[in-house]
Amino acid sequence: MKDIYIVLPEELGTIAPEIYGHFSEHIGGVMRDGAWVGKDSPVPNVRGWRTQIVEKLKAINAPVIRWPGGCFAETYDWRDGIGSDRPRRINWWMANDGRVETNEVGTHEFMDFCEQVGAKPYFAVNITSITPLQARDWLDYCLSPAESTDLALLREKNGRKEPFDIPYFGIGNENWGGGGEMTPEFYASVYRRFATVMGNVPSGTPKDFFACGACAEDFDWTQRLAVGFKEKHSKLDGMTIHYYCGGAGECTDYTVSQWYELLQKAEKMDDIIERNWSVVKGYGLEKSMKLVIDEWGCWHPGGSGPSKGYNLFEQQATMRDAVVAALTMNIFNNRCSSIKMANVAQLCNNLHAPFLADKEHCVETVNYYVFDMFKNHMGATAVRTVVKDNEDITRKVSASASVKNGAVTLTLANCSCERAVTVRPVLLGGASAGMKLRTLSAESRLACNTFDEPYKIVPVEAATNGKTVTIPKGGVAEVTIRLK
Ligand code: AHR
């Protein structure tokens, strides 16, 4: 048995709801045949968006969706995606999968999706292949008050009189790589050019600008960027981090030792956040900005999903992916004071996806259910947890806790895929008035939800004796403790 101390007086900060965000790129089957089925599709949809995905995102209070990339963003011209005449273009990923970009999903369609879901949009702006003025025009088109500019009039002609509400803009994507292979010094200058020009557009609500931060442990990028921002100040509300873990067997075919290998890689997220944040603080940038982990998840070899590889990067999700999701989101909760947002990659038919879909079929993966089990953390106050005897990954229990509306939400992941674990949550600085438990687990670590068996693995309520909870092997748990 493991004791888990929940130290109520030790508050860690508010868990921004945006930490539970999503990411949808024009890549493979994320949009077409995934979330977007088209207005004339026989698949139930609302103005082209798959009803099931909209409803299920609403059910987990999906707070924010990033779009249109990823790498795709860096050759995207927003003008291709408005009006009735939409050109077919080379998609950034076309060399990988041969699929042409039809532009049937553009600004208005994506905004409709966000409004249906009730999620905030986060736009990734191309800074590699359009000019700062063209980027500013996109903001003008979206944000300018009705009838105030020609682009606001064009927006109205295209069906939207009032401005859209777009609170977040990423200035570039992976500019250390696919976004122009820039050096940090060069990128800092480019960022400032774009941020200055884009900042001129008036907006009904504040808008945040995020700079492209490090690929995982590339702290050198973060440091040199921080020097660039320190030298010459610019509006800067966030710095991104991308971190994927993989390289431990196939998605649905892996050994016990590969289970632990992947979890150990996922755990690196903690160090990546801590060290990147230390650099930010070292340069005094933490006063104006926080970290935005706008791509994270498992990246396995493709081909395990329903399209058998046709959809680029599509993968299934087993309990190993669910445990990685829970472990990662526990890290985010525990480090919430330095994190503004995080976006799992990607929404549908892709890496670490909550949904897999094809024509009339659509299924929630185990990843989806982890978001469901964590949703009570949104907007709550995180408090410190201490887990005894927790160094060895084969016996580790990942944990985070938060307080909201007189109740503690404690989320746990049993990192052992070999044995169940019993834990005793101990409240320090408070007393329990009752405990509820939901668990997500499967008999086989390789099991997953499929079109044929969509509800094979779902959260179930489990009995507790009010003092201890048992988490099945390789399982995730949500414990709710009502406070006296
Ligand atoms: O999520 C897939 C790709 O991974 C994104 O387009 C890119 O930003 C990252 O390299």
Side-chain angles (χ1 to χ4, degrees):
M1 176 148 79
K2 267 183 197 284
D3 283 346
I4 299 192
Y5 296 110
I6 302 167
V7 193
L8 292 172
E10 267 197 68
E11 297 184 351
L12 304 175
T14 301
I15 300 173
E18 290 75 18
I19 282 177
Y20 296 97
H22 297 269
F23 170 34
S24 60
E25 179 170 8
H26 289 226
I27 181 177
V30 177
M31 292 291 184
R32 274 186 286 156
D33 298 334
W36 173 259
V37 294
K39 294 178 183 148
D40 301 326
S41 169
V43 175
N45 72 87
V46 182
R47 293 183 294 279
W49 294 102
R50 194 183 281 274
T51 309
Q52 183 173 339
I53 291 189
V54 170
E55 291 306 318
K56 291 291 177 180
L57 285 175
K58 277 159 73 175
I60 54 170
N61 304 330
V64 61
I65 310 173
R66 180 175 182 239
W67 175 82
C71 292
F72 173 81
E74 288 291 9
T75 51
Y76 182 60
D77 185 338
W78 66 274
R79 294 167 298 184
D80 291 345
I82 57 167
S84 51
D85 195 13
R86 308 267 178 109
R88 292 165 72 83
R89 298 268 190 228
I90 294 170
N91 181 304
W92 199 95
W93 294 101
M94 203 173 154
N96 299 72
D97 67 3
R99 287 165 81 164
V100 164
E101 176 54 42
T102 62
N103 281 302
E104 54 199 286
V105 173
T107 300
H108 290 256
E109 290 77 19
F110 178 71
M111 286 306 301
D112 184 33
F113 181 47
C114 289
E115 287 171 359
Q116 286 186 41
V117 169
K120 294 178 195 167
Y122 164 19
F123 279 19
V125 177
N126 175 357
I127 63 162
T128 306
S129 52
I130 65 170
T131 65
L133 195 57
Q134 287 161 344
R136 190 199 69 185
D137 284 349
W138 196 12
L139 273 69
D140 180 355
Y141 182 85
C142 292
L143 304 179
S144 287
E147 297 174 7
S148 65
T149 66
D150 276 18
L151 285 170
L153 288 170
L154 180 60
R155 181 185 72 220
E156 183 175 347
K157 187 166 158 249
N158 288 334
R160 174 76 176 216
K161 180 168 182 166
E162 294 307 320
F164 294 117
D165 183 8
I166 306 168
Y168 309 114
F169 293 89
I171 300 189
N173 174 74
E174 297 195 348
N175 302 94
W176 33 259
E181 299 284 355
M182 300 178 190
T183 63
E185 291 77 16
F186 182 75
Y187 170 73
S189 307
V190 174
Y191 175 94
R192 287 194 297 259
R193 271 179 81 207
F194 274 77
T196 310
V197 177
M198 285 164 56
N200 289 338
V201 180
S203 170
T205 50
K207 46 187 191 308
D208 281 358
F209 291 167
F210 302 152
C212 165
C215 174
E217 294 155 294
D218 185 359
F219 307 114
D220 180 55
W221 173 275
T222 315
Q223 201 244 331
R224 287 163 64 188
L225 203 58
V227 171
F229 287 130
K230 203 67 194 160
E231 261 170 17
K232 204 135 181 44
H233 188 69
S234 188
K235 175 176 166 53
L236 176 68
D237 306 289
M239 197 186 278
T240 66
I241 296 176
H242 288 185
Y243 179 57
Y244 291 98
C245 53
E250 303 279 327
C251 177
T252 50
D253 184 12
Y254 53 87
T255 61
V256 168
S257 72
Q258 286 170 331
W259 166 288
Y260 295 116
E261 188 188 337
L262 188 73
L263 264 49
Q264 217 132 24
K265 289 182 176 178
E267 277 226 299
K268 274 190 174 179
M269 179 67 91
D270 196 42
D271 184 56
I272 288 169
I273 293 171
E274 183 180 18
R275 292 175 66 186
N276 274 303
W277 189 236
S278 300
V279 177
V280 166
K281 287 204 291 192
Y283 288 84
L285 296 174
E286 84 286 1
K287 295 181 187 81
S288 72
M289 58 145 279
K290 286 190 178 184
L291 300 175
V292 175
I293 298 107
D294 61 4
E295 291 188 29
W296 69 268
C298 295
W299 192 321
H300 304 298
S304 60
S307 79
K308 300 278 176 264
Y310 171 67
N311 289 330
L312 190 65
F313 301 152
E314 181 187 83
Q315 60 190 38
Q316 246 294 357
T318 71
M319 279 309 295
R320 183 171 67 152
D321 301 287
V323 169
V324 167
L327 192 148
T328 304
M329 298 204 290
N330 279 335
I331 291 171
F332 293 162
N333 289 344
N334 292 328
R335 297 216 171 263
C336 65
S337 64
S338 56
I339 306 175
K340 185 171 216 131
M341 185 192 295
N343 310 75
V344 67
Q346 300 200 13
L347 185 67
C348 186
N349 297 337
N350 202 268
L351 312 168
H352 218 111
F355 301 99
L356 293 170
D358 180 32
K359 303 187 182 64
E360 74 276 22
H361 303 290
C362 182
V363 63
E364 287 78 53
T365 67
V366 286
N367 301 328
Y368 173 86
Y369 291 112
V370 178
F371 278 82
D372 183 50
M373 296 169 83
F374 274 62
K375 66 176 189 276
N376 284 334
H377 284 305
M378 289 187 193
T381 304
V383 294
R384 197 157 84 90
T385 51
V386 180
V387 188
K388 279 176 65 184
D389 182 22
N390 216 25
E391 295 310 308
D392 177 358
I393 192 74
T394 67
R395 302 177 62 228
K396 184 183 171 96
V397 175
S398 149
S400 72
S402 69
V403 183
K404 190 168 70 177
N405 302 331
V408 174
T409 299
L410 171 69
T411 45
L412 306 166
N414 178 4
C415 294
S416 168
C417 63
E418 296 159 288
R419 58 191 75 84
V421 63
T422 298
V423 302
R424 185 164 67 109
V426 181
L427 287 178
L428 299 181
S432 165
M435 193 186 277
K436 278 200 322 203
L437 169 67
R438 285 204 302 164
T439 60
L440 183 75
S441 67
E443 199 30 54
S444 162
R445 64 190 149 77
L446 302 174
C448 42
N449 292 338
T450 62
F451 294 156
D452 291 335
E453 286 185 286
Y455 304 113
K456 188 173 179 140
I457 311 169
V458 295
V460 289
E461 303 226 338
T464 79
N465 57 12
K467 291 197 171 60
T468 61
V469 295
T470 298
I471 320 169
K473 63 181 180 183
V476 177
E478 175 197 12
V479 185
T480 311
I481 306 170
R482 246 179 329 106
L483 291 171
K484 265 193 189 141

